[in-house]
Amino acid sequence: DERRMRTAMPFVQPVQQLFERLPREDKPGAMSFLAITSDKGLCGGINSSVAKITRFGVVDEEAKGNTAKVMVMGNKGIGALKRLFGDRFTYSFEECSKQPWGFGAASIIAEQVAATNPARLKLCSNKFRSLVSYETVASDCVTIQEAQSMDKAEFSKAMDVYSFEPSIYEVWTDLHEFYYACVIHGLYLEGVVSEQSARMGAMEN
């Protein structure tokens, strides 16, 4: 799985870096959370930490007066979050590991995420650091709504270093969905490898 992750990252990271060039503003509004967990979990906090950071995020946004929506990948996250936040669920994706994970699965999930047209989006997941460590993070993801509301001059300044055929405005929606898929694909693989490292650590202890 680590080899699969390292093979995928050279394809995932350039797309992420493209979107990271876009100017960002922290605006109020509805926040969607996508929690990326596994279907099975035998390693203590590996899934509960993702559920926890998602839970804190929902509470924080609602305390600010913003609407919070929740999407979850993996049975462990669904079980941990549905009792408290079942009424905020928009999508849940179970049995993600039933078939070997691939970009096709990430694309299907990305299509569903895009269909909800989130105003703002955070992806809660485990980021692989090394064979003995991982970090649970809530990563901001640029949404279509955010891109559309950006200052046109700043948007052009960020994107004009690239050439698009046809024009960027014609392909943007498809490109954005591809971006969602790339980010989800990369984070899911990092989560799988993080879980493996946690298992190795648990066995050594």
Side-chain angles (χ1 to χ4, degrees), residues 11-152:
F11 299 94
V12 169
Q13 289 171 342
V15 181
Q16 290 179 285
Q17 290 162 4
L18 168 66
F19 278 78
E20 285 169 2
R21 294 178 57 86
L22 294 171
R24 299 296 305 275
E25 285 185 61
D26 189 13
K27 296 181 179 179
M31 174 69 81
S32 295
F33 293 87
L34 175 61
I36 302 175
T37 65
S38 61
D39 290 314
K40 301 175 183 177
L42 303 172
C43 303
I46 192 79
N47 288 301
S48 61
S49 58
V50 174
K52 183 178 180 180
I53 201 171
T54 305
R55 187 167 66 248
F56 285 170
V58 171
V59 171
D60 183 54
E61 287 297 326
E62 292 184 341
K64 295 175 183 176
N66 298 321
T67 302
K69 300 176 182 178
V70 178
M71 297 172 279
V72 186
M73 291 172 58
N75 295 343
K76 299 299 288 188
I78 294 168
L81 292 167
K82 199 160 191 175
R83 183 175 63 85
L84 289 175
F85 301 123
D87 58 334
R88 280 85 150 183
F89 271 40
T90 52
Y91 276 109
S92 59
F93 307 95
E94 302 179 45
E95 303 292 342
C96 293
S97 59
K98 192 171 185 179
Q99 300 293 332
W101 176 261
F103 190 76
S107 298
I108 292 169
I109 294 171
E111 185 177 357
Q112 299 300 319
V113 171
T116 68
N117 194 24
R120 297 185 296 151
L121 178 63
K122 280 188 183 290
L123 305 182
C124 303
S125 64
N126 290 311
K127 295 277 288 181
F128 176 75
R129 296 302 180 205
S130 71
L131 286 176
V132 293
S133 68
Y134 65 90
E135 181 183 5
T136 306
V137 297
S139 310
D140 288 304
C141 190
V142 181
T143 67
I144 294 174
Q145 283 195 42
E146 286 177 319
Q148 290 172 339
S149 66
M150 288 175 186
D151 180 81
K152 297 301 181 186

Side-chain angles (χ1 to χ4, degrees), residues 128-182:
F128 176 75
R129 296 302 180 205
S130 71
L131 286 176
V132 293
S133 68
Y134 65 90
E135 181 183 5
T136 306
V137 297
S139 310
D140 288 304
C141 190
V142 181
T143 67
I144 294 174
Q145 283 195 42
E146 286 177 319
Q148 290 172 339
S149 66
M150 288 175 186
D151 180 81
K152 297 301 181 186
E154 291 295 322
F155 181 87
S156 296
K157 183 179 177 181
M159 291 291 115
D160 281 352
V161 294
Y162 299 95
S163 297
F164 293 88
E165 183 62 40
S167 75
I168 187 171
Y169 299 104
E170 292 181 62
V171 301
W172 186 255
T173 300
D174 291 335
L175 180 61
H176 215 116
E177 194 172 304
F178 180 65
Y179 160 66
Y180 285 159
C182 286

